[in-house]
């Protein structure tokens, strides 16, 4: 299943390509910039992330996709690299065919001449990811 850290990274990558997260009720729209400052996520991004997963905000989805962020956090989903552009994409792990990557309507993408979206190089973040995986593997 997709961990919170994986879903967070997924949003961070797509925010870097200008995709926004939209609340299903249309009341909120998130596109924090910058996403990364130095070797960590920006405060803007961290704040948006908390709002996106907050129950008060309700269901949200990434522009160009139909799965809600809450759905991605259920065991039915995995995060895998897109076959076309290598960006993280949610895939159903229950035998359903893969849905399309949000890159499907991005012109000029993939583009090897632009810097690729990335994760902050942060050891504590990586440790949290490893910890989350260990906790999940126990279930
Ligand atoms: Zn793609």
């Amino acid at each position: 299943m997709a961990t919170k850290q994986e879903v967070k990274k997924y949003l961070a990558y797509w925010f870097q390509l200008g995709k926004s997260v939209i609340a299903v009720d249309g009341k909120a729209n998130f596109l924090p910039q910058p996403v990364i400052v130095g070797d960590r996520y920006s405060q803007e991004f961290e704040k948006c992330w908390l709002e996106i997963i907050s129950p008060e905000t309700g269901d949200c989805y990434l522009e160009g996709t139909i799965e809600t962020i809450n759905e991605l956090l259920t065991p039915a989903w995995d995060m895998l690299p897109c076959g076309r552009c290598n960006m993280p994409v949610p895939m159903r792990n229950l035998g359903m065919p893969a849905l399309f990557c949000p890159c499907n309507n991005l012109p000029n993408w993939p583009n090897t001449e632009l810097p690729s979206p990335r994760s902050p190089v942060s050891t504590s973040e990586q440790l949290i990811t490893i910890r989350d995986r260990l906790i999940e593997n126990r279930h």
Side-chain angles (χ1 to χ4, degrees):
M1 75 178 261
T3 64
K4 263 191 183 175
Q5 291 303 320
E6 283 173 327
V7 173
K8 189 176 176 183
K9 174 181 153 186
Y10 160 75
L11 295 183
Y13 270 57
W14 288 106
F15 282 149
Q16 287 175 73
L17 291 183
K19 292 273 183 184
S20 56
V21 165
I22 302 159
V24 168
D25 64 10
K27 287 188 186 145
N29 192 327
F30 304 95
L31 182 56
Q33 295 294 341
V35 174
I36 300 205
V37 174
D39 66 352
R40 56 185 56 231
Y41 289 128
S42 69
Q43 281 185 356
E44 291 90 339
F45 174 75
E46 295 284 2
K47 186 168 158 277
C48 275
W49 167 247
L50 290 179
E51 282 182 44
I52 287 166
I53 58 172
S54 154
E56 280 172 35
T57 308
D59 277 340
C60 301
Y61 60 95
L62 184 72
E63 182 190 349
T65 69
I66 52 169
E67 308 82 35
T68 66
I69 307 303
N70 286 332
E71 277 173 337
L72 299 183
L73 290 167
T74 67
W77 295 89
D78 278 329
M79 284 292 163
L80 294 170
C82 167
R84 182 173 156 238
C85 73
N86 240 9
M87 290 282 282
V89 233
M91 305 248 176
R92 260 186 192 277
N93 60 17
L94 299 178
M96 294 284 290
L99 288 173
F100 52 79
C101 173
C103 74
N104 71 83
N105 64 355
L106 267 187
N108 308 320
W109 183 260
N111 184 343
T112 49
E113 285 166 24
L114 291 176
S116 292
R118 61 191 179 92
S119 285
V121 186
S122 160
T123 319
S124 63
E125 190 90 17
Q126 279 164 356
L127 287 176
I128 290 169
T129 308
I130 292 167
R131 188 200 62 191
D132 285 354
R133 283 194 181 279
L134 289 175
I135 291 171
E136 267 157 29
N137 286 342
R138 259 189 256 144
H139 295 304

